[in-house]
Amino acid sequence: MPHDHAEACPGCADPSAAFAPHDHTHCAADVLARAEVLAGAAGARLTPVRRRVLEILLESHRAMGAYDVLNRLSAEGFGNQPPVAYRALEFLEEQGFVHRIRRLNAFAACMHPGESHAPVFLICRTCQSVAEAAGAPVRAAVEAAAAGMGFAVERTTVEALGLCPACAGAAA
Amino acid sequence: MPHDHAEACPGCADPSAAFAPHDHTHCAADVLARAEVLAGAAGARLTPVRRRVLEILLESHRAMGAYDVLNRLSAEGFGNQPPVAYRALEFLEEQGFVHRIRRLNAFAACMHPGESHAPVFLICRTCQSVAEAAGAPVRAAVEAAAAGMGFAVERTTVEALGLCPACAGAAA
DNA sequence: TCTATGTATGTAATATCATAACACGTCAAG
DNA sequence: CTTGACGTGTTATGATATTACATACATAGA
Ligand SMILES: [Zn+2]
Ligand SMILES: [Zn+2]
Ligand SMILES: [Zn+2]
Ligand SMILES: [Zn+2]
């Protein structure tokens, strides 16, 4: 995650920025730029629809349903049938640019693409914002629990529902 | 989990039994009996539909979709509309007798009702069996990651997709 | 240049999962 | 006996996701 301007870039240096006010324009532009580089390096084509879907998801630290994305796309002249959105989302997920939030049947942009990470998603039940926390220890704990039963873990889904700092403060 | 006949009861004494051959008739009967006691104690009514749904889910260490459950119910003379199944499943989930497996959009019977547990679900991608591992350390790791971002965790979803011992053995 | 090939997009149709709203029956308290 | 809570049944609809097929577009030989 650290990149050349990390000091000047709270959203990039601090994962908790998702729950705090920050220069999200920069946050989004930075992630998008990194995704373009990564896609090029992987020989994957970040076509207009795919790029636009990523941009749309990057507009906020929220998850969006496939149909919400689709509505945006069709309003902008892209196709208006579900596969248009689902295919782009699937591509972005394969590339690690987007994560699926199963609890919400929705998708959120990855805020640190390219880094190998076992994300833990923190979903605020009040403001719907979604943040990605570092999940290496969680993943290790899951592996340990699975190993005890002889189970070989391939992929994990870890999602926590609760209150983000702002909403917890407002509630109290 | 340990109960009066735990020694004679592999399925009850050993959580990894879900992935191993065992006397599942006993396994299921035992869980059902415990659920009945717990429901009584909680003042909740384990009516015929609800009880039957639990029995159906207890037939195997698998997750079933709501409509699969519904098909079984309607074949047995209960209602044949989705709310019949969803309501029973919702009740059972509230009582802690059933868990929702989000990755599969499906439901699985809880194999140790009444124990406070933060389950980790291990889902075999080959045989579709689902086991519940002890997740207290996982939960703790999630709490720790969340605390670092000021997030208050209320509920967690932890699911691992991979290969159960039998399928891993068959693959190798 | 001209195809052949793979890949991306568009569209129609359908499948799958889930809930809202209302009607009816039962039973226990008042 | 009425009322109110609860459970069940049914209709209708909404939300999410995929299959199948058609079309466009890129790029790599011939
Ligand atoms: Zn941001
Ligand atoms: Zn990520
Ligand atoms: Zn069993
Ligand atoms: Zn359980």
Side-chain angles (χ1 to χ4, degrees), chain A residues 45 47 49-50 81 83 87:
Chain A
R45 296 169 50 197
T47 62
V49 211
R50 291 167 175 176
Q81 299 301 312
R87 283 195 290 232

Side-chain angles (χ1 to χ4, degrees), chain B residues 96 99 109-113 117 119 121 132:
Chain B
H99 296 294
C110 176
M111 286 301 142
H112 32 269
H117 57 288
F121 298 104
E132 231 175 287

Side-chain angles (χ1 to χ4, degrees), chain B residues 45 47 49-50 79 81 83-84 87:
Chain B
R45 295 171 49 196
T47 62
V49 209
R50 292 166 174 177
Q81 298 303 313
V84 172
R87 284 195 290 232

Side-chain angles (χ1 to χ4, degrees), chain A residues 96 99 109-113 115 117 119 121 132:
Chain A
H99 296 293
C110 177
M111 287 300 141
H112 32 269
E115 304 160 46
H117 56 287
F121 297 104
E132 233 175 284

